[in-house]
Amino acid sequence: MPTETARNPSLSLVRSRLLAALDVRPRSLGLVVAPAGAGKTTLLAQYAGSVTGPMSWLRTVPSDADPSRVLERMAATLLDGPGGLLVVDDLHLIEGTPGESVLLDRAHALTREGVRVLIGTRRAPAPILARHEFSDSVVIDAEQLRFRAWEVERLLRDVYREPLPADDVAALTRRLGGWAAGLKLYYLSTRGQPLPDRRRAVAALAKRSALSRDYLTRTVLAELAPALRRFLVRTCVFEVLTAERCDRLLGEGDGQAALEELERRHAFTVTHDGGRSFAYHEVLRAHLAAALVEELGEAEAREWHARAGRLLAEEGAALEAARCFARAQQWSEVHRLLDAAGAAVAVRGLDPWTDLLPGWFIAEDPWLVLADAQHRINEGQLAAAVPLLRRAEQMFGAGPGGSRCRALRADVTAWLPDGPHWRGHWSGWLRTATRRHPMVVVGEADRLSGAGATLVRAGALLLAGHAVEAVRVLDRAAAADGPVGVACRLLRAAVALAAGDPHGAAAVGAVGLEADRAGLPWLARVARAVPSLAGADADLKEAAAVVEECDRLGDRWGALLAAGCAALSRSLRGGPDPEEAGRLLDRAREADAGVLAAWAQSLLALAAVRARLPDADVEVRRAESTARAAGAPGARVLALAAGTPTGPGRAAALSAVHAVAEQAGLPRAAVTAWTAEPRPSPATAGTARLTVRCFGGFQVCLDGEPLNWSPLRPRARAVARILAMYAGPVHRDRLLDALWPDTDPGTATRTLHVALSSLRRFLDTHLPAGGGETLLHRDGDAYLLALPADAWCDVREFRRAVERAARRASPQDPGALDDLRVVVAAYTGELLPEDGPAEWVVAEREALRRQAADAAARLAEAALSGATAGPAVAMAARCVEIDPCHDAGWRLLIAAHDRAGNAAAAEHARRRYADVLVSLGLDPAVVAAAPISVDRRIPLPRSPRTEAVRARTSSGPPT
């Protein structure tokens, strides 16, 4: 079976957001469901290459419809060894056959044996939709697989090495709908050509392209009956298809059946509302529009578009009707409809019109000029939007349109350097908070109402440094729609991520996708930079890429926020360097953002102190003065922390800094990081000279002094972290797969040897073992950190305690409970958080997190059975802190509070438990009825589908 090729996918972009979303856990099943060419197999291969342990790959063929045949192939494919991963690709080839049912039954049995199963298919298998045991399946669909503009830009730049200007990237993404196969076909057809030719190829995609014609004909249209192909061609004039629209246009009555059949076949046809409306993929629509011209001729095709426009106008869908008339080139009708419904044009911007209208038409219509301005605003190009707004205002004159342009221009101008102080809109209040005294704005914002008021208060509080109160404001507010709601959710997710919430990264990613769908690319870019707050190298690099992208596009505020996230993150981890802080300060001053400049000035002071620059004390005094003048309490705390003395008087200075920080609402952990206070060690590590920590951040200390790893190259440091993480022998191939997966074996092996050699020299210099020994040992083809007997390593203690507890005769054995306490005490935070979503750490991080949560739950259960409510409350609370989706942890916490007689705390825990369930789309009453088990987690819901859709895609009644 093609297991080896599966581990080496074709040239493509590794999209960490998809790998993180897929995250197929042991004993679970994952689905990648999308039409042809969406990138299913590439994602499957990339995920398979990211896991450790046995990996088997089965690509189904039509003959697998025979149950005995498919079972025989599965048996031949599966590799020996516990756990592992089975990938099944192209399951749709045996859809609805006995072979499919047998394969899925076997897959479910394998999940119970600890095997992770991942399935790729064009259509969601009916048995999976109907059976309860598959209800917690992870599903990646076509919308998630769609390439976003920033991913296209990176694909062209970093993978294909043939970048395009930003406008062309946006056009390419729009015209191909983010279709993976279309992007690959574009690259193959333009590879090696000069930039002008590649740009012309993008422009040519506005019409049917030879790139997609053969592919669509072979993979989609060839499977359809002639009547269904005719239906596709004739109805491609609609952007949104309903049975009524299609029947009125065609004069027939079977539109619903045709649309459902196309959606069932995943013929580039989707529905997001259970079958009430449908849409064709943009690539397919372009192909069908050209086919319509070939079938009817140019004049008749235009008349067909006009006929659709008249139907839509009668229905009241004015803007979609206007676009139909634009395709028919009936410009007077377009003008008439825009005059009647033009206000709606400006909401989303110019994107829906760019490929339909000639430049002269856009230039003479005030609503389209306003839409162009809104497009610039959505891109963060505020300075470019102002002249367009002024021009649209002149074209409108004194009417409502002109007033709208004037108000929007005032809102935008306020955000420009030296812009006027304007509070006619909530955004003007937030802009005021970026200049000076954000806490004053918080107090005055009581005059505002609605979601805008929440965003102003929360934003101003964060600018002031009062993260605790900002979270309260965001949590109390009702969920809001539109750009304001997206921005509020991004702020909340960012604070959670910075606080170490394990679900923070996923929340930020979800908000980023929401911003992309809402047509807010500037906010989507900021969401890509926010994960850098967690400190992983990959996320910091992504933030730098966002800064560069914003600079190219002219998004001044996006670049400032992205750079600020990265610098703030580095300040918590030994940085930033003075040059980075200085550039951030320049950006804040250029934006006329006095409060952000105060933060940047304090970061510069911290960087100067850490770099031991001769004028560091001057920078500290300047930073404190700037923060006072700007009314930024949080920035002042950072300046005070930077100036904390290292000799006599340090204890008193630290106490004063923490007192000011508490008053300002800053998290204590941030102040501790800024003042470089040593992290308290667990009691079990108190007597060890050499300590190695992987939980909560990688740190090696000798006699209490942290080791400085900066002389080592990043790959050598990563090797050290991997060896420490496993706390035992690590095979050479595992190191190669983790750090050099795409490098040829010879080069990767030589690079590994260089990294190991430099690591050995570093350890021998800084951590001499004595007696001519070295800490880095080689055992055959494996390597390990051979720590001295008196050394202490948190992961090693954790693993040993887990193993000892598992060997005990009874879970209630006092020795087993002592071992579980060691497990919980050793787990002081996420495993190697600085490595973020690196593929080599994610699975191990999740496994240890679950073991720690299970240990806490078992301790809570033991305490409850012994009628000791206090320890039970503490351990249950620790369990849900480690794993908020630990079902047993929540129920044990509620029971412990009830046992202690604390009714208020028990009710509070019930509400928090219910909130978690509701946030996952689950019914608290149903989940609470399930029997309690100490290792039970809250099941994730299946993708929501209506009964109507389930009936169409199921071969029988639900079981």
Side-chain angles (χ1 to χ4, degrees):
M1 304 316 299
T3 57
E4 194 59 37
T5 56
R7 285 189 179 273
N8 296 281
S10 58
L11 192 65
S12 187
L13 180 70
V14 176
R15 295 189 280 172
S16 57
R17 68 175 177 88
L18 293 178
L19 295 176
L22 194 53
D23 188 23
V24 180
R25 299 173 178 173
R27 301 180 183 273
S28 65
L29 181 145
L31 281 173
V32 182
V33 185
K40 299 185 297 296
T41 300
T42 297
L43 177 60
L44 295 174
Q46 289 175 350
Y47 185 85
S50 71
V51 302
T52 57
M55 195 285 295
S56 307
W57 186 288
L58 175 67
R59 190 183 301 276
T60 61
V61 294
S63 59
D64 290 330
D66 179 354
S68 60
R69 160 77 173 169
V70 75
L71 285 176
E72 178 183 341
R73 292 188 68 217
M74 288 185 75
T77 299
L78 288 170
L79 300 178
D80 295 332
L85 173 70
L86 170 64
V87 178
V88 179
D89 199 9
D90 291 340
L91 182 65
H92 57 273
L93 294 177
I94 57 171
E95 179 186 16
T97 68
E100 181 192 43
S101 297
V102 168
L103 185 152
L104 292 175
D105 286 340
R106 178 62 179 138
H108 180 242
L110 288 170
T111 63
R112 294 200 301 269
E113 297 170 12
V115 177
R116 289 175 286 184
V117 178
L118 188 57
I119 295 175
T121 178
R122 294 186 188 176
R123 294 174 285 277
I128 289 181
L129 297 175
R131 290 166 55 173
H132 172 72
E133 55 264 38
F134 294 121
S135 62
D136 62 347
S137 300
V138 178
V139 180
I140 300 293
D141 59 17
E143 171 60 22
Q144 291 166 282
L145 284 170
R146 177 175 62 84
F147 273 76
R148 273 56 183 177
W150 62 270
E151 291 174 324
V152 174
E153 191 269 343
R154 187 181 298 172
L155 176 71
L156 298 174
R157 183 192 67 208
D158 298 341
V159 179
Y160 295 156
R161 306 290 183 183
E162 293 189 346
L164 286 172
D167 288 347
D168 290 307
V169 170
L172 180 64
T173 307
R174 183 175 64 251
R175 290 164 184 166
L176 292 179
W179 183 40
L183 293 168
K184 184 64 175 289
L185 291 170
Y186 165 81
Y187 164 67
L188 293 175
S189 68
T190 60
R191 181 171 49 188
Q193 295 182 9
L195 178 59
D197 291 346
R198 287 186 279 121
R199 297 189 68 184
R200 279 192 288 272
V202 173
L205 290 173
K207 300 180 180 179
R208 180 168 66 168
S209 167
L211 298 177
S212 58
R213 182 179 58 243
D214 294 340
Y215 190 96
L216 290 172
T217 300
R218 183 177 69 255
T219 61
V220 179
L221 302 179
E223 299 180 358
L224 303 179
L228 206 51
R229 286 200 298 271
R230 179 182 180 276
F231 179 89
L232 269 174
V233 172
R234 293 303 181 96
T235 58
C236 74
V237 292
F238 292 128
E239 297 170 11
V240 177
L241 298 104
T242 65
E244 181 183 1
R245 287 181 177 182
C246 295
D247 291 343
R248 290 181 64 197
L249 180 68
L250 299 175
E252 300 171 358
D254 57 354
Q256 186 68 28
L259 290 168
E260 290 179 357
E261 176 65 13
L262 290 169
E263 192 267 342
R264 189 190 69 80
R265 290 174 172 271
H266 271 277
F268 282 70
T269 306
V270 296
T271 177
H272 299 294
D273 55 12
R276 291 190 296 274
S277 64
F278 299 79
Y280 299 147
H281 193 284
E282 282 303 311
V283 173
L284 179 62
R285 284 193 71 212
H287 176 82
L288 296 174
L292 183 68
V293 173
E294 293 174 357
E295 180 180 318
L296 300 180
E298 188 76 36
E300 284 298 319
R302 289 180 182 173
E303 177 52 36
W304 192 256
H305 281 288
R307 178 177 177 177
R310 288 190 290 272
L311 291 175
L312 292 168
E314 292 173 7
E315 186 183 300
L319 295 184
E320 190 179 348
R323 288 191 283 273
C324 279
F325 282 119
R327 295 183 184 95
Q329 298 187 13
Q330 294 188 12
W331 308 119
S332 60
E333 287 297 316
V334 178
H335 271 305
R336 181 181 65 80
L337 289 166
L338 288 179
D339 287 342
V345 176
V347 173
R348 185 63 187 260
L350 200 59
D351 270 358
W353 306 91
T354 302
D355 293 332
L356 294 176
L357 301 175
W360 61 264
F361 189 95
I362 294 175
E364 71 179 23
D365 188 285
W367 287 113
L368 293 174
V369 175
L370 176 56
D372 194 6
Q374 185 64 58
H375 169 77
R376 307 286 181 176
I377 295 170
N378 294 344
E379 285 285 356
Q381 300 166 349
L382 303 184
V386 171
L388 291 170
L389 290 169
R390 187 176 288 111
R391 182 179 168 200
E393 180 184 343
Q394 293 171 350
M395 296 172 72
F396 278 119
S403 299
R404 176 173 180 164
C405 291
R406 279 191 297 277
L408 186 56
R409 181 161 59 87
D411 298 340
V412 172
T413 305
W415 288 86
L416 299 180
D418 301 320
H421 290 250
W422 162 252
R423 292 196 181 187
H425 185 260
W426 64 260
S427 62
W429 291 69
L430 187 58
R431 173 60 168 128
T432 299
T434 68
R435 285 177 159 133
R436 290 185 68 186
H437 297 292
M439 291 304 295
V440 174
V441 175
V442 173
E444 294 176 344
D446 290 339
R447 285 179 268 169
L448 295 172
S449 61
T454 299
L455 182 56
V456 169
R457 291 191 190 96
L461 284 164
L462 288 175
L463 286 166
H466 208 316
V468 176
E469 184 60 27
V471 168
R472 291 197 191 101
V473 168
L474 291 168
D475 287 346
R476 286 197 302 262
D481 297 325
V484 176
V486 178
C488 286
R489 287 186 283 279
L490 180 58
L491 286 181
R492 184 64 184 89
V495 175
L497 181 71
D501 186 336
H503 303 290
V508 171
V511 176
L513 294 179
E514 187 181 359
D516 181 78
R517 288 193 295 268
L520 300 169
W522 78 270
L523 196 57
R525 286 194 293 271
V526 173
R528 286 164 47 204
V530 165
S532 64
L533 291 170
D537 287 344
D539 293 328
L540 289 167
K541 290 178 181 176
E542 178 62 18
V546 171
V547 172
E548 182 182 333
E549 184 179 339
C550 290
D551 284 338
R552 286 200 308 271
L553 293 171
D555 179 7
R556 184 194 301 268
W557 281 95
L560 173 58
L561 293 174
C565 286
L568 183 60
S569 175
R570 288 193 174 95
S571 76
L572 302 173
R573 297 163 180 86
D577 61 67
E579 184 179 354
E580 179 186 7
R583 289 195 301 267
L584 180 65
L585 178 58
D586 290 340
R587 289 183 182 277
R589 287 172 173 169
E590 290 169 2
D592 187 23
V595 174
L596 293 174
W599 279 98
Q601 187 76 63
S602 294
L603 287 170
L604 179 58
L606 181 67
V609 169
R610 287 175 171 173
R612 294 184 170 87
L613 297 183
D615 59 347
D617 57 335
V618 176
E619 292 293 348
V620 169
R621 290 195 297 272
R622 182 181 294 129
E624 187 179 359
S625 174
T626 302
R628 283 182 180 276
R636 179 171 175 262
V637 171
L638 176 52
L640 293 172
T644 303
T646 57
R650 175 175 173 79
L654 286 175
S655 178
V657 171
H658 278 293
V660 177
E662 185 176 359
Q663 185 178 7
L666 273 171
R668 185 177 182 84
V671 183
T672 300
W674 289 334
T675 54
E677 295 178 67
R679 185 173 59 181
S681 301
T684 53
T687 59
R689 287 193 65 212
L690 176 63
T691 61
V692 179
R693 301 180 186 278
C694 295
F695 291 122
F698 185 62
Q699 186 182 69
V700 177
C701 292
L702 183 63
D703 294 328
E705 288 297 320
L707 195 61
N708 179 15
W709 293 86
S710 59
L712 274 181
R713 291 182 176 273
R715 285 302 188 203
R717 297 200 297 267
V719 170
R721 292 196 297 273
I722 294 175
L723 296 177
M725 176 181 77
Y726 285 107
V730 181
H731 196 275
R732 177 188 61 195
D733 289 346
R734 175 168 283 181
L735 292 170
L736 293 173
D737 288 343
L739 300 177
W740 297 277
D742 299 322
T743 307
D744 71 89
T747 302
T749 301
R750 288 192 297 273
T751 309
L752 173 62
H753 288 162
V754 171
L756 289 166
S757 177
S758 63
L759 177 59
R760 182 179 287 109
R761 289 195 303 272
F762 176 85
L763 293 175
D764 290 348
T765 301
H766 294 86
L767 299 173
E773 291 292 326
T774 179
L775 292 181
L776 180 58
H777 280 203
R778 179 172 180 175
D779 183 9
D781 286 335
Y783 299 86
L784 76 155
L785 288 178
L787 299 176
D790 59 350
W792 183 87
C793 173
D794 58 358
V795 172
R796 184 175 65 181
E797 296 301 313
F798 182 101
R799 294 182 190 277
R800 288 176 176 176
V802 169
E803 292 170 1
R804 288 196 305 269
R807 288 196 300 266
R808 304 282 184 180
S810 167
Q812 300 299 322
D813 185 300
L817 297 179
D818 288 340
D819 292 331
L820 294 175
R821 292 186 187 97
V822 172
V823 171
V824 176
Y827 190 88
T828 56
E830 187 176 83
L831 180 70
L832 298 178
E834 57 268 72
D835 288 299
E839 297 169 359
W840 53 265
V841 73
V842 170
E844 199 67 17
R845 180 187 293 154
E846 177 65 13
L848 299 188
R849 181 175 72 90
R850 288 190 170 207
Q851 288 175 347
D854 288 347
R858 291 186 186 279
L859 288 169
E861 184 184 46
L864 269 181
S865 65
T868 51
V873 169
M875 282 298 107
R878 179 67 177 136
C879 174
V880 297
E881 179 186 12
I882 295 171
D883 183 358
C885 287
H886 202 290
D887 183 72
W890 283 111
R891 292 203 260 176
L892 287 167
L893 180 61
I894 294 167
H897 281 308
D898 283 334
R899 177 74 60 83
N902 193 338
E907 183 58 29
H908 181 63
R910 286 189 184 91
R911 288 198 299 270
R912 291 172 60 203
Y913 178 33
D915 289 343
V916 171
L917 295 174
V918 171
S919 71
L920 295 172
L922 298 172
D923 184 349
V926 174
V927 176
I932 190 169
S933 171
V934 292
D935 60 354
R936 172 181 162 83
R937 282 162 185 82
I938 299 168
L940 295 179
R942 72 180 71 180
S943 294
R945 294 174 68 91
T946 65
E947 291 300 324
V949 175
R950 189 175 295 115
R952 293 197 306 275
T953 55
S954 176
S955 58
T959 59

